[in-house]
Amino acid sequence: MTNIVKIMDQVTDNSLVLFDELGAGTDPTEGAALAVAIIQALMERQIRTAVTTHYSELKVFALSTEGVENACCEFSVETLRPTYRLLIGIPGKSNAFAISKRLGLQDYILDSAKEFISQDEARFEDVITDLEISKKSVKFEQERAEQYRREAEELKKEVERQKEKTKQQKEKILEKAREEAKQIYAQAKEEADSIIKEMNKQAKEANNKNKALEQRQKLNEKLSSMQQDFLKSKKVKPNHKAPENLKAGDMVYVISFDQNGEVLSAPDKNKEVMVQMGMMKMKVPLAELMLDDTPKPKEKQKKQQPAKGKFSKSQFISAEIDCRGQLVDEAIANIDKYIDDAYLSGLKQVVIIHGKGTGALRAGVQNYLKMNSHVKSYRPGTFGEGEAGVTVVELK
């Protein structure tokens, strides 16, 4: 108390005051009342103060007073050791009964001791316990929410990467189409120059105007023919109309990509069609399509005989594919080829094994399945099938 009196005399507004077991060493009731009065006096002067105590009255005072906060150091009753975690907002408890029991004190002594505790004090200890449990539960939920946030961020980044990749593929296709157009133009110009040279040669040799006119007419016809061939090869027709009654297997020309492709599904409610252009599959609006009336090669027609193909492939195709450990791009490329083979083989249900992990690979796979024209439906695995670690796919 002598030290406390000295502190209260010399304290300033910039002081930090530390009390260990404030009010101890005297009657608990008077000691607790004295401790509360000292803390209130320091609060009125806005002096930062830290107090350690075992008094329940001070814990209640902190719970009910603005500007005063409880805290405790976590203690493990099982190991009888502190965890060194500071819990803000929770009043501590001494755990005297629990520790005594762990140290081997007889039960009849503990039972007798509990009878001397008033009901109010027991209820207060229960409130402290409930607060500790609630605090831990809230912290656990916060950690889970943070984990979900990180997974959502990773999935967003993956979607951005996929969009950028698709954009790059489109640019490559357009660049290739422009290069082909340049080559056709160069070929036409070369043939035109050759005809002009022949005309000049014949005009000089024969000095015959009629022959020159005839050669000039041939030149015009050749240029006109090459222009028509060029337009026909690009399928560009003036005032074209969107094709009607498209079905899977029809050959079309995609104007925006300057590429030929094959229709994989009938138009949906948004008037969009899934088209295969080389290795790329994409939904394309009907307005950007023109029918391709170029005859199909015999090998391609032979390849589309369903009965024979399904019989031979079904002997080798597996009913599941394992993509664990793969990146999303790599997994989707493998799954895309696998589903095509499974569909041609006549399989009605397949299983994609992607594992649980962070869920990014599972989300990427299921987003892809929404776009695949061969997929009728899909669902997570049930108990015994792999649960969230697999996706069961039903094919059309």
Side-chain angles (χ1 to χ4, degrees), residues 171-361:
E171 288 296 329
K172 288 180 180 179
I173 291 173
L174 291 175
E175 182 62 28
K176 183 180 178 182
R178 285 191 287 266
E179 187 63 30
E180 289 178 355
K182 288 179 182 179
Q183 292 176 1
I184 292 174
Y185 173 76
Q187 182 183 356
K189 188 175 182 299
E190 184 179 346
E191 292 192 19
D193 290 341
S194 176
I195 293 174
I196 291 173
K197 288 179 180 179
E198 182 67 24
M199 285 174 54
N200 293 333
K201 181 180 179 182
Q202 291 182 1
K204 289 179 180 179
E205 289 177 355
N207 196 18
N208 189 332
K209 292 185 179 180
N210 291 332
K211 234 176 189 181
L213 292 173
E214 183 180 345
Q215 291 294 333
R216 190 176 288 109
Q217 180 65 26
K218 286 183 179 180
L219 172 61
N220 292 333
E221 291 176 358
K222 182 63 177 179
L223 289 174
S224 176
S225 175
M226 293 189 70
Q227 183 182 20
Q228 291 176 3
D229 291 342
F230 174 75
L231 294 176
K232 184 177 180 181
S233 67
K234 297 303 177 186
K235 307 297 185 296
V236 179
K237 298 178 182 179
N239 301 323
H240 82 282
K241 293 183 179 179
E244 298 179 354
N245 302 323
L246 277 180
K247 60 184 183 299
D250 287 347
M251 301 303 295
V252 293
Y253 170 70
V254 184
I255 298 174
S256 58
F257 283 87
D258 195 17
Q259 288 283 309
N260 295 331
E262 180 181 353
V263 175
L264 300 179
S265 64
D268 58 18
K269 61 182 180 180
N270 296 324
K271 294 186 178 181
E272 293 182 338
V273 179
M274 182 68 72
V275 179
Q276 174 100 37
M277 293 178 285
M279 295 296 292
M280 184 172 65
K281 295 180 183 178
M282 182 175 292
K283 278 197 172 183
V284 181
L286 280 173
E288 294 189 20
L289 297 179
M290 298 174 64
L291 284 175
D292 181 8
D293 52 4
T294 304
K296 296 181 181 179
K298 291 183 179 180
E299 292 183 2
K300 205 166 190 178
Q301 294 175 353
K302 185 176 180 181
K303 188 177 180 179
Q304 292 178 350
Q305 295 177 358
K308 188 173 181 179
K310 287 185 178 181
F311 178 79
S312 60
K313 265 187 172 292
S314 62
Q315 297 177 353
F316 306 102
I317 194 73
S318 171
E320 63 181 34
I321 180 172
D322 192 344
C323 300
R324 288 175 292 183
Q326 299 178 6
L327 297 175
V328 176
D329 289 348
E330 179 186 4
I332 289 178
N334 294 334
I335 292 170
D336 184 67
K337 183 179 182 303
Y338 170 74
I339 288 183
D340 284 346
D341 291 343
Y343 176 77
L344 292 175
S345 301
L347 293 179
K348 293 300 182 183
Q349 180 174 292
V350 295
V351 177
I352 300 175
I353 305 173
H354 42 62
K356 297 178 181 178
T358 63
L361 179 57

Side-chain angles (χ1 to χ4, degrees), residues 72-88:
C72 69
C73 288
E74 190 178 51
F75 186 84
S76 173
V77 178
E78 287 74 17
T79 62
L80 297 183
R81 292 179 180 273
T83 65
Y84 299 100
R85 291 178 60 198
L86 181 65
L87 304 179
I88 304 296

Side-chain angles (χ1 to χ4, degrees), residues 55-239:
Y55 289 153
S56 297
E57 290 84 354
L58 290 187
K59 300 175 186 179
V60 174
F61 172 72
L63 284 171
S64 58
T65 304
E66 184 72 24
V68 184
E69 186 71 75
N70 272 311
C72 69
C73 288
E74 190 178 51
F75 186 84
S76 173
V77 178
E78 287 74 17
T79 62
L80 297 183
R81 292 179 180 273
T83 65
Y84 299 100
R85 291 178 60 198
L86 181 65
L87 304 179
I88 304 296
I90 299 179
K93 52 188 296 188
S94 63
N95 296 306
F97 289 165
I99 294 174
S100 299
K101 183 176 180 64
R102 289 278 298 174
L103 293 175
L105 188 64
Q106 292 86 345
D107 289 340
Y108 74 90
I109 296 178
L110 292 172
D111 293 340
S112 177
K114 291 177 181 178
E115 293 177 358
F116 291 107
I117 296 179
S118 67
Q119 291 184 356
D120 290 340
E121 289 175 339
R123 280 196 297 269
F124 181 73
E125 290 297 323
D126 291 339
V127 169
I128 292 176
T129 302
D130 291 342
L131 282 172
E132 287 192 64
I133 294 173
S134 299
K135 184 74 173 182
K136 291 179 180 179
S137 176
V138 168
K139 187 172 183 180
F140 175 73
E141 292 299 329
Q142 287 176 338
E143 291 174 352
R144 286 186 61 187
E146 178 62 20
Q147 180 183 353
Y148 291 150
R149 186 193 66 78
R150 289 195 298 267
E151 290 180 0
E153 286 292 332
E154 185 61 29
L155 185 59
K156 179 182 177 182
K157 291 178 182 178
E158 183 63 32
V159 170
E160 291 296 330
R161 286 194 292 268
Q162 291 290 342
K163 286 174 64 178
E164 182 63 25
K165 184 177 179 181
T166 302
K167 181 180 178 181
Q168 292 175 359
Q169 289 177 341
K170 181 177 179 180
E171 288 296 329
K172 288 180 180 179
I173 291 173
L174 291 175
E175 182 62 28
K176 183 180 178 182
R178 285 191 287 266
E179 187 63 30
E180 289 178 355
K182 288 179 182 179
Q183 292 176 1
I184 292 174
Y185 173 76
Q187 182 183 356
K189 188 175 182 299
E190 184 179 346
E191 292 192 19
D193 290 341
S194 176
I195 293 174
I196 291 173
K197 288 179 180 179
E198 182 67 24
M199 285 174 54
N200 293 333
K201 181 180 179 182
Q202 291 182 1
K204 289 179 180 179
E205 289 177 355
N207 196 18
N208 189 332
K209 292 185 179 180
N210 291 332
K211 234 176 189 181
L213 292 173
E214 183 180 345
Q215 291 294 333
R216 190 176 288 109
Q217 180 65 26
K218 286 183 179 180
L219 172 61
N220 292 333
E221 291 176 358
K222 182 63 177 179
L223 289 174
S224 176
S225 175
M226 293 189 70
Q227 183 182 20
Q228 291 176 3
D229 291 342
F230 174 75
L231 294 176
K232 184 177 180 181
S233 67
K234 297 303 177 186
K235 307 297 185 296
V236 179
K237 298 178 182 179
N239 301 323

Side-chain angles (χ1 to χ4, degrees), residues 45-59:
R45 295 180 57 181
Q46 297 184 346
I47 297 173
R48 295 185 180 276
T49 306
V51 180
T52 64
T53 183
H54 281 81
Y55 289 153
S56 297
E57 290 84 354
L58 290 187
K59 300 175 186 179

